[in-house]
């Protein structure tokens, strides 16, 4: 089965770990980046020596399964990079559909998924969808403090990694597995955070995965209909709106930086835009421990700010 490592790391470390297992210097990799985090994943693969081709995806859109399959066909690609939820835009890729099309078009290509801001908040079935690597972190939808990275690797990934020339020490998933089977860790584990993760996973299991995914979809719908009433526009199209995060264009007469500052004055912290969306949007995470009443309060503050202009 899959090997799962829970590392003392943030999410970026897990993207690097996925690269260290999947990339062989000189090998071709197809990136489907539609924002900053997809771009980060591609840059990491490049640093491991991959020859990275980039499929263009508009911010707020997601890669189309058939287009990905077409690019992969006959290309000898070693790996495909997908970002489940692109946190910079709030777009959620249909990983199930893209992975199915990719697997059919290019059976040997390793499918790597950045699920940092989606795991626990949106369905991602690694084995059923035949994903080779899932990279995630503790601090987003899992509602654990920051500091743990999660990497799940398929038997296919571990087999390719064993024969690859990319070096791995800290991230070595096979070494992690050998230790885990002896109830050991390869180096000092973040025991405090593992206890927190244990509590969070127990809560999630009690709630049920389907219920947790539905809870996140409801938060998204609450937030998106709230901003629509204020004339504000989400970056991500309805068809690919992430259940965990929304990037918002504040609309005429309002400036993103001003909205963020006005919210901060009211004790509400939201994020700004990244890359080309810098200064254009504010971003709201509605995942993990966020509840409907938090979004009610945020939407009330936004209504006040919009009315004041
Ligand atoms: C999709 C995605 N990938 C990667 C990262 C990087 O994670 P970290 O900041 O934990 O290193 C983030 C963080 O927001 C993310 O949202």
């Amino acid at each position: 089965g899959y090997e799962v490592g829970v590392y003392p790391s943030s999410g970026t470390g897990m993207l690097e770990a996925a690269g260290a297992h999947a990339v062989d210097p000189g090998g071709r990799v197809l990136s489907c980046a539609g924002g900053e985090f997809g771009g980060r994943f591609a840059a990491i693969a490049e640093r491991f020596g991959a020859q990275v081709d980039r499929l263009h995806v508009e911010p707020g859109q997601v890669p189309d399964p058939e287009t990905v399959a077409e690019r992969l066909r006959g290309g000898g690609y070693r790996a495909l990079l997908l970002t489940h939820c692109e946190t910079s835009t709030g777009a959620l890729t249909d990983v199930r559909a893209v992975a199915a099309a990719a697997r059919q078009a290019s059976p040997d290509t390793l499918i790597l998924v950045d699920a940092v801001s989606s795991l626990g908040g949106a369905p991602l079935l690694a084995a059923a969808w035949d994903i080779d690597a899932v990279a995630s972190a503790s601090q987003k939808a899992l509602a654990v403090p920051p500091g743990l990275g999660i990497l799940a690797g398929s038997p296919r990934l571990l087999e390719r990694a064993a024969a690859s020339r990319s070096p791995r020490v800290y991230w070595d998933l096979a070494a992690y597995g050998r230790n885990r089977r002896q109830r050991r860790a390869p180096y000092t584990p973040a025991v405090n955070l593992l206890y927190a993760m244990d509590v969070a996973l127990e809560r999630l299991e009690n709630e049920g995965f389907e219920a947790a995914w539905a809870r996140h979809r409801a938060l998204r719908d609450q937030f998106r209909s709230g901003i629509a009433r204020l004339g504000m526009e989400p970056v991500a199209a309805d068809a690919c709106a992430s259940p965990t995060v929304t990037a918002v264009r504040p609309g005429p007469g309002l400036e993103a930086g001003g909205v963020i500052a006005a919210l901060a004055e009211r004790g509400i912290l939201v994020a700004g835009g990244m890359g080309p969306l810098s200064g254009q949007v504010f971003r709201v995470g509605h995942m993990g421990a966020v509840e409907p009443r938090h979004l009610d309060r945020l939407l009330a503050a936004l209504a006040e700010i919009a009315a004041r202009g």
Side-chain angles (χ1 to χ4, degrees):
Y2 280 62
E3 190 59 71
V4 180
V6 183
Y7 300 81
S9 170
S10 85
T12 304
M14 295 300 96
L15 299 184
E16 178 162 342
H21 286 82
V23 173
D24 208 24
R28 293 184 82 188
V29 166
L30 183 63
S31 147
C32 304
E36 291 304 293
F37 291 105
R40 184 180 298 185
F41 207 1
I44 286 170
E46 223 152 41
R47 292 295 289 269
F48 278 95
Q51 204 187 308
V52 178
D53 291 339
R54 290 170 168 82
L55 183 80
H56 181 75
V57 178
E58 284 293 324
Q61 302 287 331
V62 287
D64 162 63
E66 208 25 63
T67 310
V68 174
E70 215 157 278
R71 281 289 289 272
L72 286 175
R73 229 168 255 130
Y77 282 99
R78 182 173 174 92
L80 170 69
L81 310 182
L82 299 175
T83 306
H84 192 199
C85 170
E86 174 51 69
T87 318
S88 66
T89 66
L92 190 85
T93 290
D94 185 347
V95 169
R96 177 187 200 161
V98 175
R103 183 64 69 209
Q104 203 188 24
S106 182
D108 290 336
T109 299
L110 295 168
I111 300 172
L112 317 183
V113 179
D114 172 349
V116 168
S117 62
S118 60
L119 197 71
L124 183 65
L125 309 183
W129 301 354
D130 202 8
I131 309 294
D132 294 298
V134 175
S136 195
S138 52
Q139 78 273 19
K140 295 266 193 320
L142 294 175
V144 174
L148 290 178
I150 302 155
L151 180 70
S154 70
R156 189 191 287 111
L157 179 87
L158 290 171
E159 196 180 293
R160 297 292 168 74
S164 114
R165 288 164 295 159
S166 284
R168 297 173 299 279
V169 180
Y170 193 81
W171 300 137
D172 193 339
L173 194 52
Y176 192 99
R178 283 192 297 276
N179 279 276
R180 187 181 52 75
R181 283 186 286 280
Q182 298 173 57
R183 301 186 61 78
R184 289 199 320 229
Y187 39 74
T188 311
V191 180
N192 47 340
L193 293 171
L194 290 170
Y195 278 111
M197 176 78 91
D198 200 41
V199 171
L201 292 182
E202 196 179 312
R203 268 191 205 154
L204 198 56
E205 275 194 319
N206 289 340
E207 179 183 14
F209 293 114
E210 296 282 351
W213 299 331
R215 170 167 55 83
H216 283 86
R217 285 195 300 271
L219 290 169
R220 170 197 63 195
D221 295 345
Q222 178 193 352
F223 186 63
R224 283 174 74 98
S225 51
I227 58 167
R229 282 195 294 276
L230 300 173
M232 298 181 177
E233 212 189 313
V235 173
D238 285 339
C240 61
S242 171
T244 56
V245 61
T246 302
V248 185
R249 298 186 195 278
L254 286 171
E255 200 240 316
V259 172
I260 294 168
L263 286 172
E265 279 168 23
R266 291 162 172 79
I268 300 173
L269 294 183
V270 302
M274 302 175 75
L277 292 176
S278 258
Q280 310 295 306
V281 304
F282 64 91
R283 294 180 301 130
V284 172
H286 31 79
M287 60 178 112
V290 172
E291 296 174 19
R293 66 191 168 95
H294 300 132
L295 294 182
D296 284 338
R297 185 167 159 235
L298 167 61
L299 287 164
L302 285 172
E304 233 176 78
I305 293 161
R308 196 188 60 182

